[in-house]
Amino acid sequence: MSKVIIIGGGAAGMMAAVAAAENGHSTLLLEKNEKLGKKLFITGKGRCNVTNACDTESLFQNVLTNPKFLYSAFYSYDNHRLMDFFEKAGCPLKTERGERVFPVSDHSSDIIKALERQLRVLSVEVALHTCVKALLWENTGEKKRIRGVRLQNGREEYADAIIVATGGLSYAGTGSDGDGYRFAEETSHKLTEPRPGLVPLEAEEDFCAELMGLSLKNVTVSLVHGNKEIYSGFGEMLFTHFGVSGPLILSAASHYVKKAWGERAALYIDLKPALSMEQLDKRLLRDFEENKNKAFKNALGGLFPARLIPVMLACSGIEDDKKINEITKEERKAFAELIKRFPLTITGTRGFAEAIITQGGVSVKDINPSTMESKLVDGLYFAGEVLDVDALTGGFNLQIAWSTGYLAGSSIAADL
């Protein structure tokens, strides 16, 4: 019987432990926190968007970084196989808007409990409050060979294979503090610079603070950098004291980080995406006709949330007290343009403390995509967020963790 050590008790680590134990290995799961799944517990606002029920091709389409690298991982352990796993493990699931999959209970703790039950059934040894300080390896000619780990108390644990599933840098309070990157660099693996992903955006405009807490639903946003549109999406967003957030913005942010990191970009909000410019102009004509004797500032209640009206007035360039019947055709057309293309200046992102995921990580060029094993160190595997792979919101990043974790754990039998 071979011994496998998994470093990190998150989604990828727990699934890797399940797969390794299913293949008959003596499996030890090391977690520095007081419990397993600490980051998993807070995902999806505590509900845990465990995966997405889309077809396999859509999985790849929602991966931003290195989707081809995940070919074997997704086809070895796809979203439907994952859903079967949780149903059989006693955690019924449900599918909501956007094919997002959640536990029926809406409690992420039930996902963690299902995994813990499987770990017990498979006799996986779990060591909590256990921090790995270093990997142990030996040189065997051209390549290194993994030997084990050194723990915080100086004790050494030996193994035939080790899986690093330590996460990235997002939500450091859950234990994701970059240990995996250090292990990778110490064993000569290249790193793609880690950056915050799926993170709120900071904007230059002062009125964002005035609108703090205002949520806009069913809007379209377009992110433009250097006269090139790098993202467009439909959904919900939120104004904050520093800029904008919400599901739509988080996806836009991952494109910003990848294509415009550290530079200014323009974010345009279509406040009425269901209407064409011609239809919107007709709507304004109708509203203006019904309110022709009112001041401009008093005629917009049917168009926008109350808190947004003062900002729209200020940005329109039309005097607040100007009578509707005095507004020119050119002013009305310009106001329609503002509604369809309300501008914000993006100056950057928030930090890792507010990022859902980490972009960047261990270069996939150093990893065998068919097994998740290092090309540089025999017996060393990487899985989950520590790798340079990431996706949009909707359960896709967790599916990457499940798939790469399972592939790593199940590949060890063949390799040994």
Side-chain angles (χ1 to χ4, degrees):
M1 179 185 289
S2 303
K3 182 172 181 179
V4 177
I5 290 177
I6 293 110
I7 309 172
M14 285 190 280
M15 188 55 76
V18 167
E22 282 179 346
N23 278 279
H25 300 299
S26 171
T27 306
L28 172 60
L29 178 58
L30 306 178
E31 169 55 51
K32 65 168 64 172
N33 287 309
E34 74 284 359
K35 60 184 178 183
L36 297 175
K38 201 165 183 180
K39 184 178 178 183
L40 199 56
F41 184 74
I42 63 174
T43 59
K45 297 180 180 178
R47 297 176 63 217
C48 191
N49 182 187
V50 68
T51 188
N52 194 285
C54 64
D55 57 70
T56 307
E57 186 59 34
S58 294
L59 287 179
F60 291 104
Q61 291 170 359
N62 281 276
V63 176
L64 272 184
T65 307
N66 297 315
K68 291 181 180 178
F69 172 79
L70 295 168
Y71 187 90
S72 291
F74 279 163
Y75 279 102
S76 296
Y77 200 78
D78 67 12
N79 45 353
H80 298 288
R81 190 171 173 188
L82 174 83
M83 289 186 277
D84 287 342
F85 168 84
F86 280 111
E87 294 280 354
K88 291 174 181 175
C91 182
L93 304 173
K94 61 181 177 179
T95 303
E96 297 186 358
R97 180 176 54 86
E99 298 293 289
R100 289 168 165 82
V101 179
F102 296 87
V104 169
S105 65
D106 283 329
H107 295 306
S108 55
S109 56
D110 287 340
I111 293 292
I112 299 167
K113 288 173 184 174
L115 286 160
E116 289 176 328
R117 282 194 295 271
Q118 289 304 108
L119 294 175
R120 286 194 295 272
V121 166
L122 294 166
S123 300
V124 172
E125 181 184 354
V126 177
L128 302 175
H129 298 288
T130 304
C131 183
V132 175
K133 303 305 288 185
L135 300 182
L136 305 175
W137 69 88
E138 59 188 3
N139 290 310
T140 56
E142 293 183 3
K143 291 176 70 176
K144 299 180 178 73
R145 171 75 208 178
I146 205 69
R147 291 181 59 240
V149 297
R150 181 177 295 113
L151 306 180
Q152 76 269 29
N153 58 7
R155 184 165 61 89
E156 296 181 350
E157 285 278 351
Y158 297 97
D160 300 289
I162 290 174
I163 301 173
V164 176
T166 50
L169 288 170
S170 58
Y171 294 132
T174 64
S176 302
D177 56 7
D179 278 350
Y181 302 144
R182 178 167 55 82
F183 300 150
E185 287 188 309
E186 288 173 353
T187 47
S188 304
H189 296 82
K190 293 183 179 67
L191 280 188
T192 302
E193 180 191 356
R195 295 173 178 174
L198 298 180
V199 63
L201 290 171
E202 295 182 340
E204 186 175 76
E205 286 74 14
D206 293 336
F207 60 69
C208 289
E210 299 171 25
L211 297 174
M212 181 174 65
L214 175 64
S215 177
L216 298 179
K217 297 181 179 179
N218 302 320
V219 298
T220 297
V221 304
S222 300
L223 187 64
V224 176
H225 176 251
N227 296 321
K228 182 179 180 181
E229 183 178 272
I230 58 176
Y231 173 77
S232 179
F234 174 83
E236 182 177 348
M237 60 167 288
L238 175 74
F239 285 99
T240 67
H241 67 283
F242 54 77
V244 282
S245 187
L248 193 52
I249 298 301
L250 298 182
S251 290
S254 279
H255 286 270
Y256 170 82
V257 170
K258 182 162 288 295
K259 299 172 184 175
W261 175 252
E263 300 179 18
R264 294 162 74 88
L267 185 78
Y268 296 102
I269 308 170
D270 185 346
L271 297 166
K272 300 292 179 184
L275 301 178
S276 66
M277 184 63 75
E278 183 181 356
Q279 291 170 326
L280 178 59
D281 190 48
K282 289 180 179 178
R283 164 76 186 272
L284 289 177
L285 276 171
R286 187 173 68 249
D287 284 7
F288 283 8
E289 179 62 29
E290 292 173 357
N291 297 281
K292 59 185 176 182
N293 295 316
K294 288 185 178 181
F296 182 52
K297 65 182 179 182
N298 297 323
L300 303 180
L303 281 169
F304 315 110
R307 290 181 61 197
L308 187 57
I309 291 174
V311 174
M312 296 300 293
L313 289 170
C315 293
S316 71
I318 302 172
E319 296 173 18
D320 293 7
D321 293 323
K322 190 170 187 176
K323 289 286 193 292
I324 289 293
N325 57 16
E326 297 174 354
I327 291 176
T328 66
K329 178 181 178 181
E330 289 72 24
E331 287 175 323
R332 189 186 74 243
K333 295 279 189 181
F335 189 55
E337 286 278 359
L338 177 66
I339 295 171
K340 295 292 288 182
R341 202 169 162 81
F342 182 78
L344 286 173
T345 306
I346 301 304
T347 57
T349 73
R350 302 298 277 178
F352 283 108
E354 297 176 49
I356 294 176
I357 61 159
T358 304
Q359 284 193 2
V362 179
S363 172
V364 298
K365 292 179 181 179
D366 290 339
I367 307 299
N368 182 341
S370 298
T371 61
M372 297 295 124
E373 186 179 19
S374 165
K375 294 178 181 178
L376 309 179
V377 184
D378 287 336
L380 178 61
Y381 299 73
F382 292 87
E385 194 178 343
V386 71
L387 291 164
D388 182 21
V389 285
D390 65 272
L392 300 178
T393 57
F396 301 104
N397 286 288
L398 267 180
Q399 185 59 50
I400 290 174
W402 307 125
S403 294
T404 56
Y406 189 88
L407 181 57
S410 59
S411 296
I412 292 169
D415 288 346
L416 290 178

